[in-house]
Amino acid sequence: MRMNDDEYEINLLDYWRVIVKRKWVVISCVGALVFFTAIFSFKATPKYKATATLMIEEEASKILSIEDEFGYRQRFADLRFFNTQLKLLQSKSLVKRVARKMDLLSHPLFIKAAGNNNNDQDEKKKIPHNPYSKVSQALLNSLEVSPVRETKLVEVSFTSPDPVFAADLVNTLTEEFVDFY
């Protein structure tokens, strides 16, 4: 038994009739999708990312050895120095210096982070309170340090709802890093 090819043919007009018949269901679904997308878009806080690029180079030594001259140890020493500088860029001490220099305890974004929490009475007895420790931890959470592949460049980025603050923080961080290290 062979069936006609006409029975298996897809007819677009049939699909169109079903869509027209159920137009209010389709319109309702599309409208709800547009409505919820618009609500989410308008309520979301914009995030701005400021990025600075640093070139990390070790100061050259005036005394050269045979190994340095022929490049035996040079690559290994460069890699260690570069990794050390990456860790220093992400260090809490550098971020604390930046927080003090920018006086972030009075900045609106960090007033909550610097505030005292009375629920931690036992913790306060054990550790002396440093107001910049919570601020620096909040900064480290939004800070991103990433090396550029096959170069001596490092990109330092900070994400914040305030674009001017993000740019100022990245600039201050790079200045402090260059001045201190």
Side-chain angles (χ1 to χ4, degrees), residues 68-86:
D68 291 338
E69 187 67 31
F70 291 108
Y72 294 132
R73 293 187 188 170
Q74 187 66 31
R75 184 163 173 84
F76 181 68
D78 282 347
L79 187 61
R80 279 192 323 190
F81 179 77
F82 188 78
N83 288 336
T84 302
Q85 298 303 307
L86 280 179

Side-chain angles (χ1 to χ4, degrees), residues 97-128:
R97 279 200 324 270
V98 170
R100 283 190 178 101
K101 185 174 183 177
M102 294 181 69
D103 191 28
L104 293 183
L105 290 178
S106 63
H107 195 278
L109 290 173
F110 295 101
I111 288 177
K112 287 182 184 177
N116 291 334
N117 190 358
N118 294 331
N119 297 337
D120 299 334
Q121 293 297 332
D122 295 331
E123 200 174 307
K124 284 184 179 180
K125 292 176 185 175
K126 295 178 186 175
I127 303 169

Side-chain angles (χ1 to χ4, degrees), residues 12 43 51 61 76 84 100 108 110 126 132 136 143 148 173 175 179:
L12 292 179
K43 290 190 74 91
T51 304
S61 175
F76 181 68
T84 302
R100 283 190 178 101
F110 295 101
K126 295 178 186 175
Y132 286 103
S136 63
L143 185 69
V148 178
L173 184 88
E175 288 171 6
D179 291 344

Side-chain angles (χ1 to χ4, degrees), residues 50-54 154-157 170-171 174:
T51 304
T53 304
L54 292 172
V154 176
E155 290 182 343
V156 180
S157 302
V170 167
N171 289 335
T174 54

Side-chain angles (χ1 to χ4, degrees), residues 16-180:
W16 178 251
R17 286 182 187 141
V18 170
I19 290 173
V20 169
K21 185 177 178 182
R22 306 276 188 227
K23 68 181 172 187
W24 292 113
V25 173
V26 172
I27 291 172
S28 298
C29 289
V30 170
L33 181 67
V34 168
F35 175 75
F36 287 119
T37 302
I39 293 295
F40 177 75
S41 296
F42 290 125
K43 290 190 74 91
T45 304
K47 298 286 183 180
Y48 300 95
K49 186 175 186 177
T51 304
T53 304
L54 292 172
M55 186 166 89
I56 297 178
E57 284 187 320
E58 189 172 8
E59 289 185 27
S61 175
K62 296 188 191 281
I63 302 172
L64 292 176
S65 66
I66 297 287
E67 290 87 8
D68 291 338
E69 187 67 31
F70 291 108
Y72 294 132
R73 293 187 188 170
Q74 187 66 31
R75 184 163 173 84
F76 181 68
D78 282 347
L79 187 61
R80 279 192 323 190
F81 179 77
F82 188 78
N83 288 336
T84 302
Q85 298 303 307
L86 280 179
K87 287 296 183 186
L88 289 174
L89 270 169
Q90 297 169 339
S91 70
K92 202 166 188 174
S93 62
L94 176 65
V95 173
K96 279 184 184 178
R97 279 200 324 270
V98 170
R100 283 190 178 101
K101 185 174 183 177
M102 294 181 69
D103 191 28
L104 293 183
L105 290 178
S106 63
H107 195 278
L109 290 173
F110 295 101
I111 288 177
K112 287 182 184 177
N116 291 334
N117 190 358
N118 294 331
N119 297 337
D120 299 334
Q121 293 297 332
D122 295 331
E123 200 174 307
K124 284 184 179 180
K125 292 176 185 175
K126 295 178 186 175
I127 303 169
H129 181 67
N130 181 358
Y132 286 103
S133 63
K134 290 182 181 180
V135 172
S136 63
Q137 188 59 47
L139 287 176
L140 283 173
N141 291 340
S142 296
L143 185 69
E144 181 183 335
V145 177
S146 56
V148 178
R149 195 174 184 127
E150 301 295 327
T151 66
K152 292 183 179 184
L153 300 177
V154 176
E155 290 182 343
V156 180
S157 302
F158 185 77
T159 305
S160 171
D162 182 5
V164 174
F165 174 72
D168 288 343
L169 189 118
V170 167
N171 289 335
T172 306
L173 184 88
T174 54
E175 288 171 6
E176 284 293 311
F177 178 75
V178 169
D179 291 344
F180 191 73

